[in-house]
Amino acid sequence: MGPLLLAPLLGCLVPALRRARLYRPGFAPTASDELPALALCATLAWGLVAVTAAATAPESALGWGELLTALVLTVLGQWALRGVVHGARRRYARLHPGSTLIVGGDGSVREVAAVLHAHPEYGMHPVGIAATGQVPGQEQGPGPGHGTAPDDFPLPVLTGHGDITRAVIQNSVRYAVVAGPQPLDARTTATVRLLAAQGACVWQVTAGPGSGQAAPGHLWGFACRRLDPYPPAPPGRWGKRALDIVLASAALLALAPVLAGCGLAVRLTDGPGVLFRQERIGLGGRPFTLLKFRTLRPADPGESATRWSIAHDRRVSPVGRLLRRTSLDELPQFWNVLRGDMSLVGPRPERPYFVEQFSQTHPGYQDRHRMQVGITGLAQVHGLRGDTSIADRARFDNHYIDSWSLWQDVRILARTATSLFRLGGS
């Protein structure tokens, strides 16, 4: 009878545990804190199993004694197993702490940094402070956007999105702790979204009364709650990647003669160096190398990184001008799509210099990086390309992300294909 009851028991127990969020435990979980939820889930599961068995096979129905024994053993077994798992995770965290950024702009960042230094059992090793205000005791360092924190936590202070992104990549940041009162201001929210988009687990810590319903777990007395600034990816997002692979592969094969012709034309008119490589910012604020056919040779790397437009530059050759007007210069980006750097449809990728500038001046611009960047997008098919409003582009891109569907991608691709015949390149 035991094996026959195991399948329905698990079928009821696993969804109940998931519903109770026990597969996504809170901050510093302990088995004793989870015991009431475990008991409730086990009671519901065994109750449903008993009712089902009595209705379908009365001869195998459980008696009250058997049911109570099974319930107690299930609860104790889960409790002991979760205790072992949590203990092992705490030991591992102490031995292998994860790089952590502290986000805030007031005196609480000092306290949180001191706590993390003094209590390695939390498994968080502070590597920097993402300042959203003036950190008390901060002294401006030699470089722009950097500083030196007070002596009790000598950590670099990061004030720009570019600095934060570089720190996340260089230190493999796994956690972020937001120190400060609720609700979050606009700058802190933008920083949290940037960190979450790059895969960091974000916690908010608060102290004192009025911080809302606190969970049992705490950071040395600071109430903790997990921040989820973005909703989960909609189902079917895998279809977007499948569409990218299929269409990008087909395009590279079908357009191989066109690619060869464009490359030859660039080589004959402008000399060696057919492909132009430029650093752009992609998903989660991570840089990648974007490929295009070269239409102009920059005077120096600084010009390539910081010049906004070359549409009317006299150095652009007739071949380069034709490639730009017909958007043929962007055909090599199909290789970026196949590599996974980009998608066919998404927010247009920008250079790091301009991402830093626009993130400071246009609210919501940084939120564009929560989805893979694309060759075309909703903003582009509405004419927002080249020297057009950045605020409008950010609004279109965020609307596209929030309302994403595979059918919307298909419609945008169809509109893009139609617009190519109008010679509307930038």
Side-chain angles (χ1 to χ4, degrees), residues 196-223:
Q198 298 190 43
C201 177
V202 184
W203 299 92
Q204 183 179 23
V205 297
T206 52
S211 57
Q213 185 67 31
H218 60 88
L219 177 66
W220 202 247
F222 286 95

Side-chain angles (χ1 to χ4, degrees), residues 34-385:
E34 298 171 343
L35 186 57
L38 292 173
L40 178 60
C41 292
T43 301
L44 292 175
W46 275 111
L48 289 173
V49 168
V51 170
T52 303
T56 57
E59 68 281 357
S60 62
L62 294 172
W64 285 107
E66 293 177 307
L67 187 60
L68 183 60
T69 301
L71 175 61
V72 170
L73 291 176
T74 301
V75 173
L76 291 178
Q78 291 183 97
W79 181 54
L81 182 59
R82 293 184 75 87
V84 170
V85 171
H86 291 329
R89 291 179 65 181
R90 284 192 294 271
R91 288 190 295 272
Y92 181 86
R94 179 187 286 271
L95 296 174
H96 307 279
S99 298
T100 305
L101 286 181
I102 304 172
V103 182
D106 56 28
S108 58
V109 296
R110 299 167 60 98
E111 301 176 72
V112 172
V115 165
L116 293 180
H117 276 296
H119 298 278
E121 64 268 20
Y122 290 110
M124 295 183 178
H125 172 61
V127 295
I129 297 174
T132 58
Q134 183 65 29
V135 179
Q138 175 184 341
E139 298 177 357
Q140 191 64 26
H146 292 78
T148 303
D151 293 338
D152 55 352
F153 55 105
L155 301 171
V157 176
L158 315 167
T159 59
H161 284 207
D163 297 326
I164 295 172
T165 300
R166 282 188 289 273
V168 169
I169 296 173
Q170 292 171 1
N171 296 282
S172 300
V173 170
R174 292 164 51 194
Y175 304 105
V177 178
V178 181
Q182 304 179 49
L184 304 180
D185 58 31
R187 185 174 179 184
T188 304
T189 300
T191 302
V192 167
R193 287 178 173 174
L194 170 65
L195 293 168
Q198 298 190 43
C201 177
V202 184
W203 299 92
Q204 183 179 23
V205 297
T206 52
S211 57
Q213 185 67 31
H218 60 88
L219 177 66
W220 202 247
F222 286 95
C224 290
R225 69 184 184 99
R226 185 163 182 166
L227 295 180
D228 291 310
Y230 296 127
R237 188 64 64 86
W238 58 269
K240 182 178 179 66
R241 181 58 184 156
L243 183 68
D244 287 341
I245 294 174
V246 171
L247 294 186
S249 301
L252 287 172
L253 290 174
L255 297 175
V258 179
L259 288 163
C262 291
L264 181 60
V266 171
R267 178 64 176 82
L268 293 176
T269 58
D270 296 332
V274 170
L275 290 179
F276 176 66
R277 295 172 173 84
Q278 190 176 64
E279 185 181 33
R280 298 288 179 101
I281 300 299
L283 178 65
R286 295 183 179 275
F288 71 95
T289 301
L290 179 137
L291 302 177
K292 299 177 70 172
F293 282 122
R294 183 169 54 80
T295 56
L296 179 144
R297 192 183 300 278
D300 53 64
E303 180 185 19
S304 174
T306 61
R307 183 170 180 180
W308 175 241
S309 175
I310 62 169
H312 303 291
D313 196 308
R314 295 182 178 180
R315 291 176 296 169
V316 179
S317 67
V319 169
R321 194 169 294 111
L322 175 63
L323 292 180
R324 292 180 62 82
R325 282 179 54 82
T326 57
S327 296
L328 290 173
D329 62 322
E330 299 187 0
L331 290 182
Q333 291 170 41
F334 284 119
W335 180 248
N336 285 117
V337 173
L338 205 57
R339 282 170 45 90
D341 299 327
M342 300 175 63
S343 175
L344 291 172
V345 182
R348 188 65 185 160
E350 194 47 83
R351 285 161 284 179
Y353 173 82
F354 290 109
V355 169
E356 179 74 17
Q357 299 296 317
F358 298 155
S359 296
Q360 300 294 333
T361 56
H362 298 284
Y365 185 85
Q366 190 66 40
D367 295 342
R368 302 163 65 254
H369 297 122
R370 54 197 162 117
M371 181 177 270
Q372 191 72 278
V373 295
I375 296 178
T376 186
L378 187 64
Q380 283 72 33
V381 297
H382 281 85
L384 296 172
R385 54 185 301 172

